Amino acid sequence: MTEPTRFLLSGASLYGERTADILVADGRIAEVGTGLDASGASVVDADGLVALPGLVDVHTHLREPGREDAETVETGTRAAALGGYTAVHAMANSNPVADTAGVVEQVQTLGRRAGWAEVRPVGAVTVGLAGEQLAELGAMADSAAAVRMFSDDGICVHDPVLMRRALEYVKAFDGVVAQHAQEPRLTAGAQMNEGIVSAVLGLPGWPAVAEESIIARDVLLAAHVGSRLHVCHVSTAGSVEIIRWAKARGIDVTAEVTPHHLWLTDELARTYNPVYKVNPPLRTDDDVQALRAALADGTIDVVGTDHAPHPSEHKECEWAQAAMGMTGLETALSVVQHTMVESGLMTWRDVARTMSEVPARIGRVADQGRPIAAGEPAHLTLVDPAARWTVDPAVQATKGRNSPFAGRELPGRVVATFYAGHPTVLDGALNTPHPAAESAGAR
Amino acid sequence: MRHLLSTHDLSRADAIRILDTAEEMSAVNDREVKKLPALRGRTVVNLFFEDSTRTRISFEAAAKRLSADVINFAAKGSSVSKGESLKDTAQTLEAIGADAVVIRHPASGAAQRLATTDWISAAVVNAGDGTHEHPTQALLDAFTLRRHWAKLAGTPSGGTDLAGAKVTIVGDVLHSRVARSNVWLLTTLGAQVTLVAPPTLLPIGVEHWPCTVAYDFDEAIDAKPDAIMMLRVQAERMNASYFPSTGEYSRRWGLGDERFARLAELGLADTVILHPGPMVRGLEISSTAADSARSQVLRQVANGVSVRMAVLYLLLSSGLYAQDATAAHAKESAS
Amino acid sequence: MRRIVLSAGDIDRALTRIAHEILEANKGPEGLVLLGIPRRGYPLAVRLAAKLAAADPAVDPERIVGQLDITMFRDDLARQPTRPPARTVLPAGGIDDRVVVLVDDVLFSGRTIRAALDAIVDLGRPRSVRLAVLVDRGHRELPIRADHVGKNLPTSRAEKVRVRLAEVDAGAGFAEDLVAIESLPAQEEAR
């Protein structure tokens, strides 16, 4: 059986701005216009749906290799497709760590075999994430995976000399260091945001300054060596101020915020339910409002999910014993619609910018995050902004059951995802992986 | 009241109900037959993930005086130390048929986890969770203070609160579940609480607590408190730079002989000293102070049994019906 | 529907008669202790003690009355909303080797008295225990009977017997004592 390769997305609202048909043929957008000829094409009724370029996540934990009980490339990219993503950056904290050309090529191959989305491996900055010695960044950059983003995410590159060298070194191949900003000594044993709630709950506090001091240091280092810095999951109002200051000085820094930090606060820790335990921790409502404003005004460039699935036993325990992290791929777009679009802070055009275009540029993903225009690769997401649905982790594609939005009603539903011209998601459900996946598997 | 997890969420009415019930329990403790049949056939599990012989035997005595069956589960050296999860332990206790679980745990929130998950249906009593709360300790402290002041006033303590009383709590507030539980409970009962500690041993956010904060113990004594509660200080905090040395801590924040003598100089004849125990003599409190007539330490221990009896009774004597005043009234009239 | 069956005067006369019966049965006031069961048994015990003193000047009413709380001894604790216990107060001389007269307002199933007998065992060893009640409404579920009864009231199980005493109920608008029978509305009874 050969799968269709021509699709007419009829009556879609491009970026929520104007209505047009989109003709997809052989992996590319053949034509955009009104009253396009549907002959020979499968028609997807996109009336009332917003068309966006396929979403690109700069921050995903796919857990494979090593923690296949938590997630695999297969399950993680299924979740990505359902969330409207056509590309994800797979963080390096797997086991073995993605700190060699071999591991990053393996992750990339797993992604190709799965065929649900493009998997862009992130290389570790230091060997084994140990923060002592640079990993072979050049080898990973030159490998088939062509790594451009490097991160020890989960752990901060806290040694200032090592951070400086990493920033300098990646200039050789247009790389970027994505920093997990967390001063380790100030956060030893930390369990949640340090403030009014932690004082009452008796949980060791995680001060905002532990994040802000590292960001301040890193933007100064990036300026000094003339390199590119990306700040992962910014979580405090103070961090926003520092990044705003750095950008005003012309420093080449980009920043990311997670969907959960745009909505949830440390008040949720009062439940002691570890589903709300995450790194960096949920902060206060003042921080949430500052992060929303920063994403709207461009101080924060992108939304990254920090999708971090965990097996249930790592969450069904005491708070202090629980793992940090939340799933996010299948809820990100809805949460952004709720927090940013429905609040009037952003348009769908801004959503395209912060969830597709700029993420692709930061990760140097050449044919993602492109305009919806004739001749461009057909990475597309159709979302029904009027839909409402209730989050049930048990029916999600990710193996992780640790969604902090479980039981909440969210707006917006991904109806279809086209990855390189192929619908990985249709009618809001998984369809089939990209047909090229099989050939990748045969390699 | 299904569980007793904290004093933060305890209403004034519930607190007074517990204290009044404890008064009646205390009368039983003075009798020759120190036993009541109220919890006959009920099983109380003391689930202790931390060594605390004092608290454990207090709960054990309380449960036994109410005729409950008591199972002591010390997690050290058991399956728990071999990696069994709290969830599996809880489900085991459920299968055994525990009606109440008294839990002491090093993790803040462990008691609330037991109470709010579907792991176990038993009533949960928090016997100290990490640096969060120790509600029965605060209740026994309030009980001790209430009795002390009722005795001075020559009135019965039943039904009364602590309105207007000045209580000063001194020591490592940051790591103290006793301090947290006392701040909430004593202020709920109308007392004015002052915390005295080195700034390093106060939590960020303490300025939002319903109490005043001071760094100078001498000034706090000059403000003529009605009660001084000393908290235990672990000498190893010194290694994490919370204070420079035990000597300096003792001089600035200890209840030494000079400060103790100052109470008499100020004419504070009725000011009492409390300590949750175990005391570190010479560090936070001198032997003179600890052994003085002002010291309520042994009364606190005795009152602990009465308060824990009251808590177990109130949580367990009603197993099937929720709190409902109308139903209680109807039944009473029909008798 | 409410029907008053004993007025304040009826109650007073009944207590006077019970007081005399107690003295007669005991051949005088020697060793008598009256223990009222909260809430309304206690004021009745106090009134009986006063009547004993009126009949026999050797009686010091203060020294023979006590209160016996039976909450913790009930057999239906787990089936009821939580009841905070009331106080148990014994006369100065205790109850060892005394003749204890339990006093309650209404005798119904007998379970309260069963609990009271258990409670007494934990407090001492009386020479004998007797029972005085203002109303016996029948429907016993245990082999218990009263020694002194103010009034036998045949009732149906669906009816409620309400005793109101000034000491307890004045705040609720009952300045005068009374005993009434309330029947439930017919439809409710039919259920």
Side-chain angles (χ1 to χ4, degrees), chain A residues 14-270:
Chain A
L14 307 188
Y15 306 98
E17 291 172 346
R18 68 184 177 95
T19 304
D21 302 336
I22 305 169
L23 184 65
V24 172
D26 301 321
R28 297 210 161 253
I29 297 173
E31 211 176 342
V32 177
T34 49
L36 297 187
D37 180 10
S39 61
S42 305
V43 176
V44 177
D45 179 7
D47 184 32
L49 306 185
V50 173
L52 300 171
L55 306 184
V56 177
D57 192 13
V58 290
H59 196 143
T60 312
H61 295 276
L62 292 178
R63 302 294 187 217
E64 191 175 2
R67 285 315 300 259
E68 289 81 359
D69 58 330
E71 192 83 289
T72 62
V73 173
E74 173 74 25
T75 58
T77 54
R78 281 173 181 242
L82 281 167
Y85 287 90
T86 53
V88 296
H89 287 79
M91 276 298 169
N93 61 341
S94 51
N95 183 17
V97 170
D99 58 1
T100 63
V103 177
V104 293
E105 287 184 352
Q106 182 201 357
V107 171
Q108 189 189 41
T109 302
L110 289 168
R112 285 205 176 135
R113 276 187 200 159
W116 296 103
E118 181 171 359
V119 174
R120 295 281 297 145
V122 175
V125 175
T126 65
V127 174
L129 308 176
E132 289 166 0
Q133 184 189 345
L134 283 186
E136 289 192 346
L137 308 181
M140 290 189 274
D142 292 345
S143 74
V147 175
R148 289 295 176 271
M149 181 184 277
F150 298 91
S151 181
D152 276 3
D153 180 67
I155 299 170
C156 181
V157 182
H158 64 91
D159 179 331
V161 176
L162 202 56
M163 187 60 185
R164 172 198 169 141
R165 297 285 182 248
L167 284 166
E168 284 178 309
Y169 197 79
V170 298
K171 293 198 309 184
F173 33 82
D174 192 26
V176 63
V177 177
Q179 174 69 297
H180 174 117
Q182 179 191 355
E183 211 295 311
R185 287 278 292 147
L186 283 171
T187 51
Q191 295 292 325
M192 66 171 294
N193 179 51
E194 183 166 33
I196 296 170
V197 182
S198 66
V200 171
L201 297 184
L203 287 170
W206 189 312
V209 63
E211 174 174 312
E212 293 155 3
S213 60
I214 293 290
I215 295 175
R217 181 200 75 177
D218 286 356
V219 296
L220 294 173
L221 283 174
H224 182 62
V225 303
S227 188
R228 198 152 72 91
L229 170 71
H230 177 68
V231 184
C232 296
H233 42 52
V234 170
S235 72
T236 76
S239 297
V240 167
E241 286 308 307
I242 293 163
I243 292 162
R244 189 171 282 138
W245 174 86
K247 287 190 165 184
R249 301 251 305 196
I251 297 171
D252 193 359
V253 56
T254 54
E256 144 203 330
V257 64
T258 70
H260 46 271
H261 286 109
L262 287 172
W263 192 358
L264 310 178
T265 70
D266 61 353
E267 287 292 327
L268 290 164
R270 292 186 192 273

Side-chain angles (χ1 to χ4, degrees), chain B residues 68-187:
Chain B
D69 294 318
V70 179
I71 297 172
N72 289 313
F73 188 140
K76 279 196 174 175
S78 75
S79 50
V80 174
S81 58
K82 294 169 193 141
E84 185 177 273
S85 70
L86 180 61
K87 176 182 172 178
D88 288 332
T89 305
Q91 288 179 333
T92 302
L93 301 181
E94 176 83 351
I96 285 169
D99 295 296
V101 175
V102 175
I103 178 173
R104 162 68 69 103
H105 199 289
S108 298
Q112 190 174 327
R113 281 295 274 164
L114 275 194
T116 55
T117 55
D118 59 2
W119 304 341
I120 189 165
S121 58
V124 176
V125 180
N126 183 1
D129 61 327
T131 55
H132 176 222
E133 288 226 28
H134 193 355
T136 58
Q137 177 69 43
L139 284 161
L140 75 87
D141 290 337
F143 183 86
T144 305
L145 292 173
R146 195 174 81 147
R147 271 203 163 177
H148 172 70
W149 290 318
K151 195 174 163 194
L152 288 177
T155 54
S157 52
T160 63
D161 61 13
L162 304 175
K166 291 192 287 184
V167 182
T168 297
I169 302 176
V170 188
D172 181 358
V173 174
L174 179 65
H175 300 98
S176 176
R177 50 195 172 210
V178 175
R180 281 179 181 75
S181 285
N182 265 303
V183 167
W184 314 132
L185 180 67
L186 298 183
T187 53

Side-chain angles (χ1 to χ4, degrees), chain B residues 37 42 313 317-318 321 333-334, chain C residues 73 77-79 82-83 108 162:
Chain B
R42 301 305 198 91
Y313 169 74
S317 65
S318 168
Y321 292 94
S333 310
Chain C
F73 296 83
L77 270 178
R79 275 164 244 241
T82 307
R83 297 158 178 253
F108 185 18
R162 302 261 188 215

Side-chain angles (χ1 to χ4, degrees), chain B residues 138-275:
Chain B
L139 284 161
L140 75 87
D141 290 337
F143 183 86
T144 305
L145 292 173
R146 195 174 81 147
R147 271 203 163 177
H148 172 70
W149 290 318
K151 195 174 163 194
L152 288 177
T155 54
S157 52
T160 63
D161 61 13
L162 304 175
K166 291 192 287 184
V167 182
T168 297
I169 302 176
V170 188
D172 181 358
V173 174
L174 179 65
H175 300 98
S176 176
R177 50 195 172 210
V178 175
R180 281 179 181 75
S181 285
N182 265 303
V183 167
W184 314 132
L185 180 67
L186 298 183
T187 53
T188 294
L189 291 173
Q192 299 167 23
V193 176
T194 300
L195 298 176
V196 180
T200 46
L201 291 175
L202 288 163
I204 295 289
V206 72
E207 63 277 11
H208 292 268
W209 291 10
C211 58
T212 51
V213 174
Y215 305 136
D216 189 320
F217 195 3
D218 292 313
E219 283 177 17
I221 287 178
D222 288 344
K224 302 188 174 178
D226 298 302
I228 298 173
M229 183 183 298
M230 301 305 297
L231 302 172
R232 188 162 66 107
V233 173
Q234 293 178 335
E236 57 264 32
R237 302 284 178 216
M238 187 175 77
N239 303 328
S241 302
Y242 285 104
F243 48 86
S245 68
T246 51
E248 174 153 327
Y249 181 90
S250 188
R251 281 192 299 278
R252 295 183 73 100
W253 289 286
L255 184 56
D257 289 351
E258 282 180 28
R259 286 195 180 97
F260 178 72
R262 179 81 182 141
L263 294 175
E265 289 165 22
L266 288 165
L268 301 175
D270 300 323
T271 294
V272 288
I273 298 167
L274 285 81
H275 194 297

